[in-house]
Amino acid sequence: MVDDPWSSALHRLWQAASRAEEVAALADDVYAPLLATPGVHRVVGTRWDGRQVLRYMRALSAGSDTPVIVATTRSMPGAAVREPGGEPVVDRVEAAGLDDAVWPEAEFLREAPGGSVVSCTFRLDQRGWAALTLAVDASADLAAVESRLTQAVDVIVACHTGILQRGREARRGADDALLAEASLQMDSSLDVEDTLRRVARIAVPAVADGALVHLARGEGPEFVAATHVAVQQQRALEAAGRDDPWLAALLARRGEDEDTVFLSGAALDGSPFADPTAATTATAATDADATDAADAGEGHQPTVVSVSPLRARGRVLGTITFVYQRPEARLPDSAFLRSLATRAALAIDNALLYELRRTAVLSLQEHLLPSQLPVTDRWDLSASYAVGDPMLDVGGDFYDAVLRPDGSIALLIGDVCGRGAEAAALTGLARHTLRTLLEEGTDAGTALSRLNRALRQERASRFLTAVVATLAPQADGTVLLSTCSAGHPPPLVLRGDGTVSEVLSGGLLLGVLDDVSYESHQERLTPDDTLVLFTDGLTESREAGGTFFESVLPARLAALRGSDAAHIAESLARQARAFRDSGQDDIALLVARWTGLPPDSGLLPPDHRLEQAALR
């Protein structure tokens, strides 16, 4: 007879495993059906690293909804006898005979009625293993219990393998995007030292926690640039790059190597990187990195240093040194570093050869934004973009304005989650996709849905928000405003009389679910009304007291009544930066003022007294 409850539970478990982003998320789906098995009274899971260090323990009893969770770094050499090899291992033992030096679960298992224990140990990857253990009584069908236990373990292992595989695929995609972005960044400058600084900036934190770049000179390596994820470590890293004799000697030797060299442990003795707690090598991980490490139970990671020669056309131009303090699985491989160094070296060599012939280039951020906005006789359009963090100058904000075949104009603005190579790649994809569709006359809702489908097909690991506002002049001199939003902050309308209203908007984020549709909201604009679109970098600028700029934005905007679009965009961006005490997000604004008249007819005189009063 088919065991319907267990089969259904196992089916749900496989479904949950296919969606899970971490193995711990499966706990409820694993523990509950196992506890529902006749004769099972308690389930205990443990997570270990390869050094017999217990990282995590979770226990749940039948009839209870509250698990006991223990996060630790307890070293238990005796547990080596339980560490599995290639295949899961099932053991049956008596709870009374458990050795506490081998079984940390014993304290939970002895308390359970019955006295028998069924345990399955299994490998998660090369660096860690886990155990799932059940306390059972004499009424339990041990063969059925073992079958269910091993089936649950199969799901857990498959889930972990899938997560690792998706992670590797995401890293490969990010590596490709980073290399493409690096080429754009480096090709956008004719100055050799500026090119090298860009290499350092683009590589941190995507590639490493710190980076040092040196040029090869006759008298030895010459320090050019350094960057670090921890701003407070920037100066110390620069000092090491300029003056440390150990590093200078290393670079002089390694500059002639054919490939990247990795150094760790004793190989770093005498270096500024030997002590992981020293100021020059302490790593301030991002919030996401810290969370990943905690989830994985990695703890403190030793410092690793890599040195790659910058070689182009048979010449060694310098070296790039990366400093890492992250899990081994997150270190880049030699092939990636070689490709990055090769691109950097070629860019440097090209700058040396052609710096007198090339006079101007655009930065990567300029490639991701329109070079200019459309010029019309009835619209006063302007935009402003402020980079929030000069250390990481590739953001995910974008905007554009598109003239449509029916005579309307479409304004779009969006924000890709996060920063760096992948965010930049998605920014370009999103802006150009929306622009192309809107130029062809596609309605805003369909354009957003098709962009969402493209993101899902590309398996983008980041989401983004966007809003499209279509402005269609009407015969009565008004404008029909149709707004379609995908989870983006709602635009504001500054009326000619100085009142400010929020445009109704909603919609799901892009890149999260398949087959999402988006609806439009309509309202009217009259001459001298101004539409303001912005990214959350504006509203989430926070002062020292904790107040967000969002709370004062309507008053600040109202004080700009009568101003042209350029003044409104630049003033709001400037005010948000001055207001900001914390927050590093970029700020993008797109402003459209409906005049209904040619520009030479004149604007309402701006009342700067209102603006000054709003700033108080």
Side-chain angles (χ1 to χ4, degrees):
M1 178 182 295
V2 177
D3 187 357
D4 289 332
W6 173 253
S7 297
S8 298
L10 189 62
H11 178 68
R12 290 193 299 271
L13 180 58
W14 276 110
Q15 288 182 318
S18 68
R19 300 187 301 267
E21 296 183 0
E22 56 182 34
V23 174
L26 295 180
D28 291 339
D29 295 289
V30 171
Y31 283 43
L34 287 175
L35 284 171
T37 302
V40 176
H41 294 277
R42 184 161 292 177
V43 180
V44 185
T46 53
R47 177 79 178 269
W48 305 75
D49 69 14
R51 298 165 294 178
Q52 289 79 51
V53 174
L54 177 65
R55 294 293 187 181
Y56 174 86
M57 185 158 55
R58 187 181 196 273
L60 183 65
S61 300
S64 174
D65 294 327
T66 305
V68 177
I69 298 175
V70 179
T72 182
T73 54
R74 190 192 313 174
S75 178
M76 301 186 65
V81 298
R82 297 178 61 198
E83 182 173 351
E87 297 295 326
V89 177
V90 177
D91 291 309
R92 297 181 187 177
V93 294
E94 294 301 315
L98 296 177
D99 183 350
D100 289 354
V102 178
W103 296 77
E105 309 98 318
E107 59 180 298
F108 299 107
L109 299 172
R110 293 194 190 102
E111 297 173 358
S116 295
V117 170
V118 180
S119 180
C120 181
T121 55
F122 54 96
R123 297 214 69 84
L124 287 171
D125 49 49
Q126 294 299 317
R127 297 176 294 114
W129 55 284
L132 195 59
T133 305
L134 310 180
V136 301
D137 62 25
S139 68
D141 182 342
L142 294 182
V145 169
E146 287 188 8
S147 175
R148 294 185 179 189
L149 185 60
T150 55
Q151 287 174 342
V153 166
D154 287 342
V155 179
I156 294 172
V157 172
C159 176
H160 185 74
T161 302
I163 291 171
L164 292 180
Q165 179 62 29
R166 291 193 295 273
R168 285 191 291 268
E169 291 174 355
R171 283 194 294 274
R172 281 196 295 269
D175 286 349
D176 291 342
L178 180 61
L179 290 173
E181 181 184 348
S183 295
L184 284 174
Q185 283 274 23
M186 292 181 290
D187 288 344
S188 66
S189 175
L190 298 177
D191 181 84
V192 175
E193 294 187 0
D194 183 56
T195 298
L196 288 167
R197 292 189 186 97
R198 288 170 182 262
V199 175
R201 287 199 302 269
I202 201 171
V204 174
V207 176
D209 301 292
L212 288 158
V213 182
H214 291 77
L215 280 179
R217 301 297 191 192
E219 61 277 13
E222 176 185 321
F223 170 76
V224 175
T227 190
H228 199 284
V229 292
V231 176
Q232 64 268 29
Q233 305 306 323
Q234 184 77 23
R235 293 180 181 176
L237 196 61
E238 290 175 353
R242 287 192 181 95
D243 304 321
D244 186 76
W246 183 94
L247 183 59
L250 171 69
L251 298 183
R253 296 193 307 270
R254 298 305 183 191
E256 295 299 328
D257 286 343
E258 293 293 330
D259 204 353
T260 296
V261 176
F262 286 88
L263 304 172
S264 61
L268 295 178
D269 289 347
S271 77
F273 315 108
D275 181 6
T277 65
T280 56
T281 56
T283 300
T286 61
D287 290 344
D289 289 341
T291 301
D292 290 344
D295 290 344
E298 295 293 347
H300 179 76
Q301 298 296 327
T303 299
V304 178
V305 174
S306 70
V307 181
S308 300
L310 296 170
R311 184 186 297 275
R313 299 180 177 95
R315 296 187 301 126
V316 175
L317 306 177
T319 57
I320 182 166
T321 303
F322 291 128
V323 181
Y324 317 88
Q325 199 164 14
R326 55 184 63 186
E328 181 181 350
R330 293 184 54 227
L331 294 180
D333 57 30
S334 296
F336 171 79
L337 293 178
R338 182 169 58 249
S339 182
L340 180 62
T342 298
R343 292 170 189 238
L346 287 173
I348 297 165
D349 205 36
N350 288 338
L352 291 170
L353 294 173
Y354 300 112
E355 62 184 356
L356 297 179
R357 297 174 57 185
R358 301 176 62 186
T359 59
V361 291
L362 297 175
S363 67
L364 177 61
Q365 193 68 64
E366 291 171 332
H367 284 297
L368 298 176
L369 298 172
S371 58
Q372 61 181 12
L373 298 175
V375 177
T376 72
D377 60 353
R378 292 191 171 188
W379 287 104
D380 175 22
L381 299 176
S382 189
S384 177
Y385 194 101
V387 176
D389 185 355
M391 289 293 294
L392 301 172
D393 57 354
V394 181
D397 294 10
F398 63 92
Y399 62 83
D400 210 339
V402 180
L403 297 177
R404 291 162 58 81
D406 61 0
S408 63
I409 185 170
L411 308 180
L412 62 99
I413 195 166
D415 186 2
V416 177
C417 172
R419 308 181 67 92
E422 191 174 4
L426 290 183
T427 297
L429 171 65
R431 185 175 78 85
H432 291 295
T433 298
L434 288 177
R435 179 181 179 87
T436 299
L437 292 172
L438 294 170
E439 281 182 329
E440 294 174 349
T442 305
D443 67 89
T446 302
L448 289 174
S449 295
R450 290 177 63 177
L451 173 58
N452 181 74
R453 187 160 60 248
L455 294 172
R456 297 293 293 169
Q457 289 172 349
E458 291 293 328
R459 297 185 178 180
S461 61
R462 297 172 184 256
F463 63 83
L464 63 96
T465 67
V467 63
V468 178
T470 305
L471 304 160
Q474 304 297 298
D476 61 0
T478 64
V479 169
L480 181 62
L481 168 62
S482 298
T483 307
C484 194
S485 177
H488 197 79
L492 297 178
V493 174
L494 172 61
R495 301 292 180 180
D497 61 4
T499 60
V500 175
S501 61
E502 187 176 89
V503 177
L504 181 65
S505 61
L508 188 68
L509 303 172
L510 294 161
V512 178
L513 297 176
D514 297 327
D515 300 325
V516 180
S517 60
Y518 296 93
E519 298 181 353
S520 294
H521 168 74
Q522 294 183 339
E523 58 183 273
R524 295 274 179 165
L525 299 183
T526 59
D528 297 324
D529 286 351
T530 302
L531 178 66
V532 181
L533 292 79
F534 48 86
T535 56
D536 59 9
L538 180 76
T539 54
E540 293 180 2
S541 294
R542 188 185 336 191
E543 67 173 357
T547 302
F548 287 97
F549 192 71
E550 180 180 21
S551 64
V552 301
L553 177 57
R556 298 290 181 90
L557 178 57
L560 294 169
R561 179 180 66 89
S563 299
D564 61 20
H567 181 69
I568 292 175
E570 293 300 329
S571 178
L572 290 178
R574 183 176 64 254
Q575 291 181 43
R577 291 196 301 270
F579 185 89
R580 173 186 290 173
D581 180 74
S582 64
Q584 294 291 319
D585 204 1
D586 292 358
I587 297 173
L589 287 121
L590 182 58
V591 179
R593 184 176 183 275
W594 169 241
T595 65
L597 298 171
D600 57 5
S601 297
L603 301 174
L604 288 174
D607 189 345
H608 295 292
R609 291 174 298 176
L610 291 175
E611 182 177 352
Q612 292 301 316
L615 294 173
R616 296 194 183 103

